[in-house]
Each structure stands twice: as C-alpha cells, then as structure tokens.
Amino acid sequence: MEKHNHEHHKHHTHEDHQRNQSSDHQTISKSDHQQGHHDHHAMMIEDFKKRFWISLVLTVPILALSHMIQQLLGFELTFFGDQYVLFGLSTIVFFYGGWPFLKGLWDELKDKNPGMMTLIAVAITVAYVYSSAVVFGLEGMDFFWELVTLIVIMLLGHWIEMKSVMGASRALELLVQMMPSEAHLVHGDQIKDIKVDELKKEDIILIKANEKIPADGTVVDGESHLDESMLTGESKPVKKSKGDQVIGGSVNGSQSIKVKVSKTGKESYLNKVITLVEEAQKAKSKTQNLANIAARWLTFIAIGAGTITLVTWISLGKPLDFALERMVTVMVISCPHALGLAIPLVVAISTAVSASKGLLIRNRTAFENARKITAMVFDKTGTLTEGKFGVSRHESLSDDIAKEELLSFVASLEQQSEHPIAQGIVKAAKEAKLKLKKVENFESLTAKGIQGKIDGKSWKVVSPRYLKENKIEIPEKAGSDAAETIVFALREEKLIGFIALSDKIREESSKAIETLREKGMKLYMATGDNEKTAKAVSDKLGLDGYYSEVLPHQKVEIIKKLQKEGHFVAMTGDGVNDAPALAQANVGIAVGSGTDVAAETADIILVNSNPKDIANLVLFGRATYNKMIQNLAWATGYNAIALPLATGFIPGLVISPAIGAVFMSLSTVIVAINAQLLKRKMIS
C-alpha cells in the first residue's frame, strides 16, 4: 500500500460502459446460480431440522419404554406388546433419522475414507440389529434408547454446523435483497430514475436522506453520516464528505449527497464479499479434519475391540448372548455423541462472533493457525497509520515556478490516481483554490511514481527511490526529522521541487502492538516509504525492526527470510498490491475498509483497517483452536474410560450400559458448555 504508484487509473470509454453492462449481466447470472446453491443448502438444513424434530418426538416414548432407562430412573411402564411398539418406533427413527448417516457410510466407503459418518452408521446399525434380535427372542437387553439418542444428537450437530455456514451468506443475501432497485441518475440539471443494473462507472447519482446507497462510489457533493454497520461492523454512523468513498448497501443519514459511481456489478464490495463467503463455505477446517481422523480411528477401534470382546468371551466359555451384549456395549459406547458436537458448536460460535467483529474468514485452517504466528509483518499506510495524507510543506527548487504553481502541476497529475498520497495532494490544491491543468499521455511508473505531459512539457512525480536509481541528488531542504513521506517533481527530467506529506499513526496501533508482543511475537514493518519515516513510525510503536523503500517483490523476500529463520509468518497488506507477499506468508491478512477489502490471495480479510482487529484475529484464532482441542479431548477421553470398562475384562469394574449412558450424557453436556464459554471469551 506504501508504493507511490497509480495503477488504478483508467480512461473510461463507450466500450468500457458496454463492458460494465456485460459484467452486470454476468453478475445477475452468477447471482441466480448462487441463489440456486443457497436454496439447495437451505433445503438440506430444512431436511436435517425436520429429521431432528421428528426423531426427537419419537425418542420420548422410546426412552419411556426402554427397560434400561426405567431401571435407571426407578419407574416401570409395561403393557402387552410394549416391546413391539418400542421396536416399531425405533425402526422409524433408525431408517428416517439415521438415513443421512447410512448414506454417508456408503459415500465414505466408496471414497475409501471412513470417518464420522462411518462411525455413527456402524454404531446405530449394530445397536439396531442386536436390539431387534433381542425383541424377537435373543437373550439380552435392547439398545434402542442408545440408538435413538445417538441419532438425535448427531442430527442436531450436523444441523448446527450447516446453519452456522449458511448464516453469514444468508445475511449477505438479505443485504442484496435490500439494495434499492432504482437509482437517481444526475444528468446536467436533470435527475432521472433508472434501474440499478443500468448504472455505469463515472455516473453521478443522487442519494436522498435515509436512502440506501445503490453502488460503490466517491462523494462529489454534500456531506452526511452513513450507517455501514451491516457491511463493516462499524456500529457508529460514519461521516462522509467530498472525496470519501461509500459502499453500496450502506444507509444514508439525514442529508442528501451526490456520488460518482466507481464500481458496479461483480466488482462491487457486496458481490466480492458474497464470493469470499462462498469460498469460506467450501473451505475445510483442519481441525474438523482432525475430528474426522479421530472418528476414523474410533471406527477401527470400535470394530476391533468389539470383535476381540466377542471372540474372547466365547473362547472363555461364556454364553453367546452374554458375549454379544458385551460386544454391542463396546461398539455402541465407543461412538461418542460429544464428538459429533465438538467441532460444529465451536465453528458456529466463532463464525458468528468473528463476523460481528468485522472478520471475514476465507480459510478456516489459516484462522486456526493464527495461534502459531511468531512473526508479523505490517504494511504501514492505512494499517498502522490512518492512511490519510495531508501536505505538511512544499518547496519549489526552480526560480521560474512558484511553490503554489508547483503544487498545481503536481496535483494535476495526481488527480488521475486514487492513492492516499495523491488524494492528499489534490485535496491541498483544492483547499488552496488552485486551478488544475489538463494532463496528456498519463502513465504509471510501477512502484516509483507517475508521469504525463502538461502544456507540452514532460512531468514526473516520483519517490526518493527513483532519484537514487537515476543518480539525482536529493536536496538537503527535503530532509527533516518529522515522519514525512516526500515526493519529488521533475520537469523535463530536471528536479524542480518536492512535496512532503504526513500520515498520523492510528491511536489503536500502540495497544495492538502491545497485545501481540505479549503473545511473544516479533513485529516488523515493510513499507515503500523513506527510511526516515519508517524509522520514526517503528521507533514510536516499538517494533522489532522495519524495512523501508521496498517494492512488492521485495516484501516476498522479507517473508521468505523470516520463514528461513524458523518463523511462522503473518503478513498484513491491502490484498492487491501486496498479493505476492500475502500468498507467500503462512497467514495472509488483508486489511482495508470498504472497496479495498476484496483480497484475492489473503486467507483472512479484516473489513476495517484497524490494527486492533489484527490482535483480535490472533486472540480469536487461539481461543477457537483451544476450544476445539479441549472438546475433542473431552469427547475422546470419554472413550478412553468407557471402552475398556465396557469389555468386561476388568474384574469388578464392568460398566453397565446404563452407566455408559450417564458417561455419554455428561461428556455431551461438558462439550456444549465448553463451546459456549468461547463466546464469552471472544466478546469480552
């Protein structure tokens, strides 16, 4: 973000407008596709919900008719044919409620990748077959109560997980639906209402008081406070005046404003966020995979332990019904109900809280890996600093041009760019009521500056790096002890002046740095800015080091160097100019408010350019991972105790299925409570 380049400028032609319209139609088509995808997802959620409630209702009489539950609770309920009623109700729950898991078993075995579905399906099938045999004459006690409670809890776990994934995108869909269908197009003195999808870049639109902003753009007239809470998580209305960017979907306050459209259709902020959420939905959590690996091993252990139990008791001369009961007890008890809830509950809570705090998680594994970060590399402008440059001083170095005239020429070139430095210079020129000149042959000098022709003469606005590379001496006047960013003006390749700008360090930066340092991280800054400015910011914040005047590819080298030193590196940048470094880092964090948010290579996007959010990200990632591991430990720890006792091999310590039920329930309750504690920790 530091680079003083100007890649965003484009001359807009009739072809551009046609292309924009085409992209809008593509967006509508994509939106229809997304709607279809979300409808399918919603139908699946509804299906799990329906299966859960029907199974839950049938579970009540099944529990009441189960002799084991009657013994446990000290009551008796018997009547002629009660066991056949129990069998009938349990059969409905097994085939109707258990169908997703039976189908999942087939899918996992077909992929040669047994996991959670296989473990659940094996447990409920063994429990159903054995219990049915008991009803029809086999000596023993049925496991219908265990069968139905397992199905109900697993349905609940999957329902919660699917709802949490759907929740974020559903909120975004609501935003899209709430977008106004019409916009007030300003054409000279006339105002014409047109459909939003007819808007083109560079169009000027009027937004009246309390109306929704129909497209991303820049305020060109008026001043108002906008409610962006549904988009950025910022609860307070944000003041917007001339030159400020606005996001489509935000709500205007009590004053009307005019906005120049900058992004429409698939380029808009909302559309990019929807795409990010869809990617997040497809992303697999590494810890979720850990739960599936645990389930796979538990499947092998359950089948192996069950078989060993059966063979051992028969070889010791015990009756078949006793050996079968022990085998079934082992196989059913070794499927922990809690394991099905361990990850979904934590994912649901962390997703909801993170979204409310302005964190868009594109890669869940990277989010969980935030706990491993040992080195953090910060971009400077807009992250550690406010990113709003103000001209602090400007000097002419030529007798034939006054300092105000110099500012006018430089601002004329800079008005072609959206870079914070450019905006600062243009703002200063307009405040001084200077007339801007016509620029021809405008061109960006990647990461070094810009050039163009004004009044037939060649002008360049460049960084100190350009002067060094072209062996042009930097004047003494340009130096100062202040944390300034300096650009130089060249006319016909001759240095004729400079402009110094300053950018304030954010109030939140110091606190964020302090929080991250407490976590044992090394903190660095990589900036395209000059050595003096970089050192001033680094010293003030107490960073471990800084890199100044670096180009995009050099940031990649910095990341690689830290990785070679054994660090797990996070990079924070704007997600576009810093794409290579974000891709190279172990965790790429894109920071940028509004339209800067759509980072193509970042793992995590922070909606607000606030260093406090980076600290929150690390804390949330650690807390989420810890809760997942704690829950997995509780869920599988139950097996470590219950399974050996269920075999009956330990003299005097044979667990009855009823006691197994108590252990199972306790484990599930602990996992649920522990997941809820995460919410309190993340919000506090």
Side-chain angles (χ1 to χ4, degrees):
M1 209 163 169
E2 285 19 55
K3 285 84 57 195
H4 184 217
N5 64 6
H6 308 269
E7 297 170 272
H8 302 299
H9 174 69
K10 289 181 182 175
H11 295 285
H12 300 285
T13 62
H14 180 64
E15 286 78 17
D16 286 323
H17 287 316
Q18 286 179 325
R19 214 167 25 245
N20 291 338
Q21 282 183 298
S22 168
S23 76
D24 289 343
H25 292 312
Q26 289 169 11
T27 305
I28 293 164
S29 169
K30 184 181 177 187
S31 176
D32 291 341
H33 170 72
Q34 287 169 342
Q35 188 61 46
H37 169 76
H38 293 318
D39 285 346
H40 174 66
H41 201 74
M43 282 167 64
M44 286 178 66
I45 292 172
E46 198 58 37
D47 182 57
F48 267 89
K49 178 183 172 183
K50 188 177 173 184
R51 289 178 194 272
F52 166 72
W53 285 113
I54 290 174
S55 299
L56 182 64
V57 169
L58 293 174
T59 295
V60 176
I62 291 170
L63 292 177
L65 291 170
S66 294
H67 291 165
M68 196 175 297
I69 299 299
Q70 291 176 20
Q71 287 176 17
L72 189 66
L73 300 178
F75 73 93
E76 189 175 332
L77 177 63
T78 56
F79 54 86
F80 178 73
D82 59 349
Q83 288 305 291
Y84 296 111
V85 173
L86 180 61
F87 165 73
L89 293 172
S90 300
T91 299
I92 295 170
V93 175
F94 174 68
F95 285 107
Y96 178 70
W99 174 249
F101 310 111
L102 297 171
K103 184 178 179 296
L105 161 73
W106 173 252
D107 292 339
E108 286 183 353
L109 292 180
K110 205 164 57 175
D111 295 339
K112 296 177 183 173
N113 188 27
M116 185 71 74
M117 292 297 192
T118 305
L119 180 59
I120 298 165
V122 166
I124 63 175
T125 302
V126 168
Y128 177 73
V129 172
Y130 175 79
S131 301
S132 300
V134 168
V135 170
F136 292 101
L138 183 73
E139 284 293 319
M141 191 172 277
D142 69 77
F143 283 85
F144 286 132
W145 64 273
E146 177 75 275
L147 160 72
V148 296
T149 53
L150 179 55
I151 287 172
V152 165
I153 287 176
M154 290 304 168
L155 284 171
L156 176 64
H158 281 74
W159 177 29
I160 288 171
E161 185 175 19
M162 291 170 79
K163 265 186 77 175
S164 73
V165 168
M166 187 72 175
S169 59
R170 186 172 283 163
L172 290 165
E173 281 176 28
L174 281 173
L175 273 177
V176 175
Q177 289 167 17
M178 288 166 65
M179 286 283 280
S181 57
E182 291 189 334
H184 312 304
L185 179 67
V186 178
H187 191 71
D189 296 332
Q190 303 293 314
I191 294 175
K192 180 185 173 188
D193 287 348
I194 63 168
K195 289 183 178 177
V196 168
D197 57 12
E198 291 175 16
L199 282 176
K200 306 176 186 72
K201 286 184 187 178
E202 307 293 318
D203 280 345
I204 305 294
I205 52 176
L206 173 71
I207 294 95
K208 297 174 184 176
N210 304 314
E211 284 187 339
K212 276 191 165 285
I213 311 288
D216 295 358
T218 307
V219 178
V220 291
D221 188 29
E223 187 176 281
S224 189
H225 284 77
L226 269 58
D227 180 357
E228 298 180 340
S229 57
M230 291 186 74
L231 293 151
T232 67
E234 174 58 61
S235 56
K236 295 177 186 173
V238 182
K239 186 181 178 183
K240 299 286 183 179
S241 52
K242 194 171 180 181
D244 290 334
Q245 291 183 334
V246 297
I247 310 168
S250 51
V251 183
N252 189 19
S254 57
Q255 304 293 320
S256 64
I257 52 173
K258 286 182 183 174
V259 169
K260 181 191 278 189
V261 176
S262 62
K263 292 184 180 178
T264 60
K266 67 181 179 181
E267 291 183 342
S268 72
Y269 169 76
L270 268 178
N271 217 285
K272 286 178 177 175
V273 173
I274 288 171
T275 303
L276 290 175
V277 172
E278 285 212 321
E279 286 172 5
Q281 287 175 356
K282 292 171 191 168
K284 260 281 188 190
S285 160
K286 203 171 186 179
T287 316
Q288 179 66 62
N289 289 339
L290 194 60
N292 289 333
I293 292 166
R296 184 183 310 148
W297 280 105
L298 282 171
T299 304
F300 299 145
I301 291 167
I303 294 169
T307 305
I308 291 167
T309 302
L310 178 69
V311 171
T312 303
W313 282 122
I314 289 174
S315 65
L316 290 173
K318 288 286 184 181
L320 178 63
D321 57 351
F322 175 84
L324 275 173
E325 184 184 61
R326 285 295 102 202
M327 180 198 79
V328 175
T329 304
V330 166
M331 292 185 72
V332 173
I333 278 177
S334 56
C335 180
H337 296 48
L339 190 60
L341 288 174
I343 304 301
L345 277 174
V346 175
V347 168
I349 290 164
S350 71
T351 301
V353 177
S354 296
S356 71
K357 299 283 184 182
L359 273 68
L360 291 175
I361 299 162
R362 197 175 162 191
N363 180 338
R364 284 212 63 86
T365 301
F367 176 58
E368 291 156 24
N369 280 344
R371 73 190 192 282
K372 297 182 187 175
I373 297 169
T374 58
M376 178 88 71
V377 180
F378 290 95
D379 193 26
K380 178 181 77 70
T381 305
T383 304
L384 295 175
T385 64
E386 290 180 354
K388 292 177 183 175
F389 286 87
V391 173
S392 50
R393 58 197 178 97
H394 57 287
E395 294 285 342
S396 169
L397 303 174
S398 176
D399 294 334
D400 67 340
I401 187 166
K403 60 187 281 188
E404 295 307 313
E405 195 180 357
L406 174 79
L407 180 60
S408 170
F409 276 98
V410 173
S412 299
L413 271 178
E414 294 286 15
Q415 70 181 327
Q416 312 286 335
S417 170
E418 292 177 3
H419 193 280
I421 290 174
Q423 290 175 355
I425 292 172
V426 172
K427 187 180 177 186
K430 287 182 176 176
E431 284 174 355
K433 294 186 168 51
L434 300 176
K435 190 179 177 186
L436 300 187
K437 303 177 183 297
K438 186 182 176 186
V439 178
E440 295 174 336
N441 302 332
F442 176 85
E443 191 182 340
S444 169
L445 306 169
T446 305
K448 293 171 188 174
I450 53 174
Q451 66 181 6
K453 281 199 167 185
I454 303 175
D455 296 339
K457 292 186 178 178
S458 168
W459 281 78
K460 285 181 183 172
V461 181
V462 296
S463 65
R465 169 183 284 276
Y466 182 91
L467 297 191
K468 287 177 188 172
E469 287 178 358
N470 290 274
K471 297 183 172 52
I472 300 172
E473 190 178 340
I474 296 175
E476 266 185 54
K477 279 186 181 181
S480 100
D481 294 329
E484 292 178 323
T485 297
I486 299 176
V487 295
F488 295 90
L490 303 179
R491 185 180 61 190
E492 302 291 345
E493 295 301 324
K494 184 184 175 187
L495 179 63
I496 64 160
F498 65 86
I499 296 175
L501 304 99
S502 56
D503 181 18
K504 277 172 64 179
I505 294 175
R506 284 179 178 270
E507 288 179 18
E508 306 92 345
S509 293
S510 296
K511 183 65 179 169
I513 296 296
E514 192 181 315
T515 302
L516 294 170
R517 178 164 284 108
E518 284 170 6
K519 300 297 171 188
M521 286 186 206
K522 292 283 184 186
L523 304 168
Y524 303 94
M525 181 177 70
T527 174
D529 224 328
N530 62 69
E531 159 79 17
K532 196 166 281 183
T533 299
K535 186 176 188 308
V537 173
S538 178
D539 289 350
K540 188 161 185 182
L541 292 173
L543 301 178
D544 294 293
Y546 64 91
Y547 302 89
S548 60
E549 298 182 38
V550 292
L551 295 171
H553 72 274
Q554 292 171 318
K555 288 188 179 182
V556 176
E557 298 306 316
I558 292 165
I559 303 291
K560 284 181 179 175
K561 176 174 167 283
L562 289 168
Q563 287 170 333
K564 279 179 187 172
E565 291 171 6
H567 285 293
F568 195 88
V569 185
M571 168 71 194
T572 69
D574 67 6
V576 181
N577 293 336
D578 294 320
L582 287 166
Q584 178 63 38
N586 300 97
V587 179
I589 305 166
V591 292
S593 58
T595 49
D596 292 334
V597 80
E600 295 301 323
T601 49
D603 301 306
I604 296 147
I605 291 90
L606 306 184
V607 175
N608 301 303
S609 307
N610 192 332
K612 182 183 73 177
D613 292 341
I614 298 168
N616 282 342
L617 164 69
V618 175
L619 298 177
F620 288 0
R622 287 188 180 190
T624 298
Y625 181 80
N626 288 342
K627 282 296 173 204
M628 286 179 170
I629 296 302
Q630 286 168 19
N631 274 2
L632 285 175
W634 275 112
T636 52
Y638 150 83
N639 285 79
I641 298 166
L643 200 143
L645 296 177
T647 61
F649 295 152
I650 303 170
L653 283 173
V654 180
I655 189 173
S656 73
I659 298 299
V662 173
F663 274 150
M664 174 203 77
S665 302
L666 188 63
S667 177
T668 305
V669 169
I670 288 170
V671 162
I673 292 171
N674 194 39
Q676 287 300 323
L677 291 175
L678 173 66
K679 190 173 188 177
R680 188 177 298 175
K681 186 163 187 177
M682 289 175 77
I683 290 173
S684 62

